[in-house]
Amino acid sequence: MMPWTVYNQAGQRKYLTRGECASFLQAAQGRDANVRGFCWLLAATGCRISEALALTERNIDFETGQVIIECLKKRGKKVFRAIPLPPALLALLKTALETETLPRERLWPWSRMTGYRRVREVMEAAGIVGGHASPKGLRHAFGVCAIQSNVPLNLVQRWLGHADMKTTAIYTSAMGPEEREFASRMWVYGTGQSPAAGGATPKAKRLIRAPGVLRVNSRPGKAGAGATGNPVCNILPAPSEARDSGRPTSLLRLAILLNQQVTKRVKALAFAAC
């Protein structure tokens, strides 16, 4: 049996990204209060569609701002979990109950297939397609977003109703903004591009340096630049060059001394490693 991951057998992710979730909720705004509340609750709690369809007015605790969900995978054991709800969603549900837009016994008296279709309709309106465009994709998105928001793993486990924390830990394998940031630090090397500028070539910066100690040339076509125009460093030219320039050489001598000390240290470490 293939172990569960955040990717399917075709290598496609099973969860919605933050941007897709935002588009999904935006598309839900154009629906009636029933559909809007149902879609919002799924995205905000990560509950299973069957658990959402079983909710009644008694499951919404407006005083503490949370929903009490019965874990239907543990039928007969009466296991409940509490999940905080956004204030705006609580206000929507309260208004819908007071105006009887939502019934008090079962908030959404739909079949499982009807609930699934409502979610799929909103997904299509938001332009989200693929296997992850489903109620299960919203549940996975909740888990991934919680982990990437630094919510403690045991709390995410309780909110999702997982029996084993190993199942919850799988969401940590989804690539987050921090991981992408780490990777972006490597993209600048050998490209002459800056990830922060969206791929645009950064302008050469003026450096405060000792005369002739370190010259950086990032403009193609200039002396010292490589064939590709990538930055090339010229380190420590002959002291006569600095003297001929007529510039002070005190900083140059200091740089040469430091360079010699670093070279000795590197050689000593290399020798010790042999």
Side-chain angles (χ1 to χ4, degrees):
M1 182 178 178
M2 183 179 178
W4 188 87
T5 69
V6 292
Y7 304 101
N8 61 22
Q9 294 185 355
Q12 304 299 311
R13 54 183 166 81
K14 298 178 181 179
Y15 61 93
L16 276 73
T17 63
R18 289 175 185 254
E20 288 173 333
C21 284
S23 298
F24 172 76
L25 293 176
Q26 183 65 35
Q29 291 296 317
R31 307 289 167 143
D32 58 55
N34 289 23
V35 175
R36 186 163 70 250
F38 184 70
C39 292
W40 199 348
L41 183 91
L42 288 175
T45 65
C47 69
R48 302 174 180 90
I49 188 172
S50 56
E51 294 171 339
L53 292 173
L55 293 176
T56 69
E57 180 190 21
R58 294 183 295 275
N59 295 111
I60 310 298
D61 191 337
F62 292 101
E63 185 65 27
T64 59
Q66 60 188 5
V67 58
I68 312 300
I69 296 177
E70 181 179 1
C71 299
L72 297 183
K73 276 202 168 185
K74 303 174 182 178
R75 293 182 182 275
K77 295 184 179 181
K78 290 297 179 181
V79 177
F80 297 89
R81 66 184 191 273
I83 307 174
L85 293 180
L89 175 55
L90 285 166
L92 172 66
L93 295 175
K94 189 172 185 179
T95 301
L97 287 168
E98 290 175 348
T99 59
E100 298 184 353
T101 303
L102 288 177
R104 296 181 181 274
E105 280 307 310
R106 281 186 60 198
L107 300 181
W108 296 282
W110 304 332
S111 66
R112 182 185 177 89
M113 183 55 66
T114 299
Y116 182 86
R117 286 172 180 165
R118 296 292 178 269
V119 173
R120 288 287 297 180
E121 289 168 358
V122 177
M123 290 284 184
E124 291 177 5
I128 304 171
V129 296
H132 62 292
S134 65
K136 199 63 174 290
L138 289 171
R139 177 171 169 80
H140 294 326
F142 177 87
V144 170
C145 183
I147 295 296
Q148 294 178 355
S149 300
N150 296 321
V151 176
L153 197 61
N154 64 323
L155 197 55
V156 182
Q157 176 194 10
R158 174 151 56 87
W159 287 348
L160 288 173
H162 288 159
D164 192 340
M165 188 177 289
K166 293 180 181 178
T167 304
T168 313
I170 292 174
Y171 290 116
T172 62
S173 63
M175 179 178 292
E178 293 84 3
E179 185 175 351
R180 187 171 179 82
E181 170 62 22
F182 284 135
S184 70
R185 298 175 187 178
M186 301 184 295
W187 298 340
V188 67
Y189 295 111
T191 65
Q193 294 181 339
S194 170
T201 302
K203 295 181 179 179
K205 295 183 179 180
R206 183 178 297 276
L207 302 177
I208 299 176
R209 55 182 174 82
V213 174
L214 176 62
R215 297 201 304 273
V216 179
N217 187 351
S218 60
R219 297 180 181 177
K222 296 289 184 179
T228 60
N230 295 330
V232 175
C233 297
N234 300 319
I235 303 176
L236 294 178
S240 59
E241 179 183 340
R243 287 195 299 269
D244 294 341
S245 64
R247 295 181 178 180
T249 59
S250 57
L251 289 177
L252 175 60
R253 294 194 187 96
L254 177 60
I256 293 175
L257 178 60
L258 291 175
N259 186 61
Q260 290 173 345
Q261 294 297 324
V262 171
T263 301
K264 291 179 181 178
R265 181 60 177 166
V266 171
K267 290 182 177 179
L269 290 174
F271 180 78
C274 295

